[in-house]
Amino acid sequence: MRNRMVLLCSICIILFMLISIVSCTAPVEESSLISVKPILDHYEYKQREKVCFFPSFTNENEKTEILSVSTEDGFFTCMTTDAMQADSFINAQRTLLYFLQKNGVALRELNYVALNFDDNFSESAKNTAYIALSSTETWRQVLVTLHALLGDYIDYGYVYAMSNAIALHLGWETEAIETVDDSAMDTFFCENPQSLNLLYPGFTGLYATEETIKYSKALSLDLFEHIDLCEALKKPIETQLDEFEALLIRYSDKIGASFSRQVCGYAYRGPYLPLCIQATYATHIVDHGYKDYHSDIFEDYFNDYVTIYQTAEILDAEIVEAVERFGLEDCAGNISINWLSEYSAMTKFAKRHVNTCYVLRQEAYVTTISLYLHAYYYHIEHLINPDSEMSWQTSAFCEIGRSYSQYARYASEKTFTENPKWAELFCDLIGDTYQTGVENYFEANDVLCYALNDDFSLNYYRDGAFINSFTYYLIKNFGENPIINLMLFPDTVIEVTGKTWETLENEWKQFIMDKFAGKDIPSWLNED
C-alpha cells in the first residue's frame, strides 16, 4: 500500500512538472485576447471630386473621385467610387480599432485615407493615416494603423512583428516569409551588426538587400515569440520597446555581435514617399530619388541603410552642436529639412539648386549636403534675432556656422588637394599645401578672391568666397565670437570694431592685395 502511495505521489509530481513546463513554454493562447466580431455595415457616402494631395511633397497632385463618411471611430476618405470596396475597407479598419481598444490600446481621433496605390502612410502628427485599399485585412493594414497610433518613428521591426501577430489573431493575411536556418541567421548578424537595429531602412528594397530584409524580418518574428501579445498591448509603447530591446540585446550578446543603437528615428513611408529621419532638432525628409546636386563631388549619403544611419548621426551631431553653441535647446523646436531631388527642385522652385529656409513654416529645402547646415543656421539666426533681414551679413553668419560641417569643407578640400592646378595655385599663393580644417578652408577663399580679381563687391547673392574671405579677415582681427554677434546685429559695427562697414571692407580689399602682392595669376583661370 505504501509503495502504491509513493508511486501515485511520484506520478502526480511528474505530471505537475510536465504541466508546469508546458505552461511555461507554450505560446500565449488566443483566448487570452479579447476578440471582436467583424463589423459588416454599409455607409451613406458623400461623393465628390477632389484634388488629391498625396502624402509626399514631391508627388504631383491629381483630381480624383472620392467617397467620404464620418463614423464614431473617425473620418474615412476612400479614393474609389466603388461603395462595396469602401465598405470593406472601413469595416476592416473599424474591426481592427475595436480589437485594439478592447485589448488596452488607447485610441485617438484620426482621419483614415484609403488609397488606390501601394502601401503608404503619412505623418500621424497630421492626424491622418494613409492605408492602401490593397492592404485591407492584411498585416500591412495593422502596421500602418499601429504606426499612426503609436508614433511614426518607433522601431519598425517590433511593430512589424506585432502586426503579423494581430493579423493572425484576426484571421487576416500575415506575411509569408522564407524560413531561415538559425545558424545562418546568427552568422549574418555577426557579419552585419548594424542590421540588428531592426529599423525601417533595413526592411525595404530601396535601401537593403533581399538577404538583409529576410533575416531582419525573421529575427523580429523570432524575438516577438517571447512576448505576450495580450500583456504587451496593455503597456505604454515605451515599456514595450524597452522589453523588445532587452530581447534584442540578449540575442546580440549570445552571438557575440556588437552594435550601437541609433539616436535617430526612421519612419515608414512606402515606395512612393520619401524617407523621414527624426533627429533631435530636425526631421530630415529625403526625397525619393534624391541624389546630391554635386554628385560628381559627393557620395550618395542616403544610398543604403548603413550609410543612412551614419549620415543621420553626423547630421544630428552637427545640428545639436549648433543649437547648444547658442544655448537654444529650449526654443530650437523641430524643423523639416527637405532633401530635394533635381526633379523636385525644378518642379517646386523652377531651379536645380535650392538652399532655402522658411522660418515661419519651420521648413528648409536643400539639394546638396554641403549647404544643409547653412539653412539650419538661418533658422538659428532668426531665433536669436527675429528682426534680421536678408543681407550679406545674414549669409556670413550662416557660413561661419556651416564651416564646422565636414560636408561644407569637402568640396574645397577635394578641389585644392586632388586637382593639380588648384593645388599648385594654393601652394604658390599661401606658401604651403592645403591641409584639412577650418583654417585652410577660409584661406582658400582668400585665394579665390585674389584669383578672380574683380571689384570684391559684397551682397547677399554674391559668391560665398567673397563673403567668407571678408568674414575670415574680421575674425582674425576681432575674434570669432564678436564677429558672430556682429553678423547677427550688423548695426553694432562701430561698437564692436570701432569702424564703419565701408572702412572695414576697404581695409579687407587692401589686405587681400597686399597678401598676394607680386603673385602671378595663372592664365588657365581665364581659360576655365
Side-chain angles (χ1 to χ4, degrees):
M1 183 71 177
R2 181 178 298 173
N3 290 338
R4 288 180 180 176
M5 289 294 293
V6 171
L7 178 62
L8 183 61
C9 290
S10 299
I11 291 172
C12 289
I13 291 171
I14 292 171
L15 287 173
F16 177 77
M17 291 175 65
L18 287 172
I19 291 170
S20 299
I21 292 171
V22 170
S23 65
C24 289
T25 58
V28 179
E29 295 182 3
E30 289 190 0
S31 59
S32 62
L33 292 166
I34 300 174
S35 298
V36 297
K37 292 181 179 180
I39 296 172
L40 301 172
D41 289 346
H42 295 284
Y43 303 93
E44 294 292 330
Y45 294 103
K46 293 181 180 178
Q47 180 172 337
R48 65 182 187 277
E49 184 180 68
K50 182 181 179 181
V51 175
C52 177
F53 292 91
F54 288 105
S56 169
F57 62 85
T58 60
N59 282 99
E60 294 179 0
N61 303 321
E62 64 179 41
K63 288 185 177 180
T64 184
E65 294 292 326
I66 65 170
L67 299 177
S68 63
V69 66
S70 181
T71 76
E72 60 186 285
D73 302 303
F75 185 79
F76 293 86
T77 301
C78 300
M79 304 298 182
T80 179
T81 56
D82 185 339
M84 291 184 63
Q85 186 181 34
D87 285 350
S88 176
F89 167 76
I90 295 173
N91 286 334
Q93 185 64 19
R94 293 184 68 201
T95 299
L96 171 60
L97 292 173
Y98 281 153
F99 168 79
L100 293 173
Q101 186 176 46
K102 285 182 177 293
N103 284 282
V105 178
L107 301 185
R108 59 191 179 88
E109 268 195 40
L110 291 174
N111 299 316
Y112 297 97
V113 178
L115 305 168
N116 53 10
F117 58 94
D118 288 342
D119 302 290
N120 304 266
F121 76 88
S122 188
E123 297 179 25
S124 59
K126 296 178 181 177
N127 296 317
T128 302
Y130 295 86
I131 305 173
L133 286 164
S134 60
S135 295
T136 300
E137 295 191 2
T138 72
W139 65 276
R140 279 197 175 276
Q141 184 170 1
V142 184
L143 175 76
V144 171
T145 302
L146 289 178
H147 266 294
L149 289 171
L150 304 177
D152 290 351
Y153 298 94
I154 60 177
D155 291 7
Y156 185 89
Y158 179 72
V159 183
Y160 164 78
M162 176 177 273
S163 299
N164 275 282
I166 291 175
L168 181 65
H169 178 80
L170 292 174
W172 290 5
E173 177 187 327
T174 59
E175 185 176 38
I177 68 166
E178 180 184 343
T179 302
V180 301
D181 179 74
D182 287 346
S183 60
M185 184 162 67
D186 294 349
T187 299
F188 171 80
F189 284 110
C190 282
E191 295 174 350
N192 302 275
Q194 280 298 92
S195 296
L196 284 169
N197 279 289
L198 299 179
L199 301 175
Y200 165 65
F203 284 78
T204 169
L206 286 175
Y207 308 112
T209 64
E210 290 183 9
E211 183 183 38
T212 299
I213 297 170
K214 177 180 71 174
Y215 285 122
S216 295
K217 289 183 174 180
L219 178 60
S220 298
L221 296 176
D222 282 359
L223 294 177
F224 201 83
E225 288 181 359
H226 299 280
I227 290 177
D228 185 324
L229 177 60
C230 176
E231 292 301 315
L233 290 172
K234 299 173 184 176
K235 299 175 182 177
I237 185 59
E238 294 79 9
T239 303
Q240 295 180 46
L241 294 177
D242 287 344
E243 293 176 355
F244 189 70
E245 183 176 348
L247 292 170
L248 183 59
I249 292 173
R250 187 185 307 169
Y251 172 76
S252 68
D253 290 342
K254 185 192 78 170
I255 65 174
S258 177
F259 76 105
S260 57
R261 294 294 289 167
Q262 286 287 297
V263 299
C264 300
Y266 302 86
Y268 171 75
R269 285 295 183 268
Y272 288 91
L273 301 179
L275 172 69
C276 285
I277 305 170
Q278 186 184 54
T280 308
Y281 296 108
T283 298
H284 301 275
I285 304 176
V286 185
D287 191 4
H288 181 60
Y290 170 81
K291 189 174 184 180
D292 198 287
Y293 176 77
H294 297 295
S295 57
D296 56 328
I297 299 176
F298 292 103
E299 302 171 11
D300 188 346
Y301 290 101
F302 302 101
N303 183 52
D304 55 56
Y305 72 100
V306 175
T307 57
I308 287 170
Y309 296 162
Q310 293 170 345
T311 302
E313 295 217 346
I314 292 172
L315 297 178
D316 184 59
E318 292 185 345
I319 288 178
V320 167
E321 181 182 354
V323 170
E324 292 179 348
R325 184 179 187 188
F326 295 97
L328 299 172
E329 294 90 338
D330 295 332
C331 61
N334 190 286
I335 77 168
S336 295
I337 299 181
N338 301 286
W339 300 77
L340 298 181
S341 66
E342 184 175 321
Y343 170 78
S344 297
M346 289 295 294
T347 302
K348 197 170 186 69
F349 295 97
K351 57 183 178 180
R352 296 172 63 199
H353 193 169
V354 176
N355 179 47
T356 304
C357 182
Y358 296 97
V359 176
L360 295 179
R361 287 170 22 198
Q362 300 288 283
E363 292 179 344
Y365 294 88
V366 296
T367 54
T368 175
I369 201 165
S370 65
L371 291 175
Y372 89 93
L373 202 57
H374 182 109
Y376 195 81
Y377 264 89
Y378 187 76
H379 164 69
I380 284 180
E381 183 172 39
H382 282 263
L383 289 176
I384 299 173
N385 180 12
D387 297 326
S388 61
E389 298 179 355
M390 187 178 292
S391 65
W392 73 262
Q393 288 95 338
T394 300
S395 183
F397 171 78
C398 298
E399 285 294 301
I400 295 171
R402 90 176 184 101
S403 68
Y404 288 92
S405 168
Q406 67 180 60
Y407 303 117
R409 302 191 305 270
Y410 185 78
S412 179
E413 291 171 358
K414 191 176 182 70
T415 299
F416 285 100
T417 58
E418 296 186 14
N419 185 304
K421 289 183 177 179
W422 284 101
E424 182 180 358
L425 175 63
F426 185 89
C427 189
D428 288 345
L429 295 183
I430 301 299
D432 200 356
T433 57
Y434 189 98
Q435 302 296 320
T436 299
V438 176
E439 184 81 11
N440 272 191
Y441 169 71
F442 281 116
E443 286 271 21
N445 289 291
D446 286 355
V447 169
L448 290 172
C449 282
Y450 179 72
L452 294 174
N453 195 21
D454 65 3
D455 62 0
F456 290 26
S457 61
L458 292 168
N459 62 69
Y460 182 80
Y461 299 100
R462 195 63 204 271
D463 189 297
F466 296 91
I467 294 174
N468 280 335
S469 177
F470 186 28
T471 304
Y472 178 62
Y473 168 78
L474 295 175
I475 289 174
K476 294 292 282 185
N477 282 277
F478 302 100
E480 185 177 74
N481 287 337
I483 295 307
I484 286 177
N485 291 329
L486 176 58
M487 297 308 179
L488 287 167
F489 303 96
D491 291 343
T492 63
V493 61
I494 295 179
E495 178 185 340
V496 173
T497 69
K499 302 176 182 179
T500 65
W501 280 116
E502 183 179 7
T503 299
L504 291 170
E505 186 174 342
N506 289 333
E507 289 179 355
W508 159 66
K509 293 177 182 179
Q510 189 60 49
F511 164 78
I512 293 294
M513 300 307 296
D514 292 343
K515 181 175 181 177
F516 302 116
K519 301 290 180 72
D520 293 331
I521 299 175
S523 59
W524 59 263
L525 276 172
N526 296 323
E527 295 171 1
D528 289 348

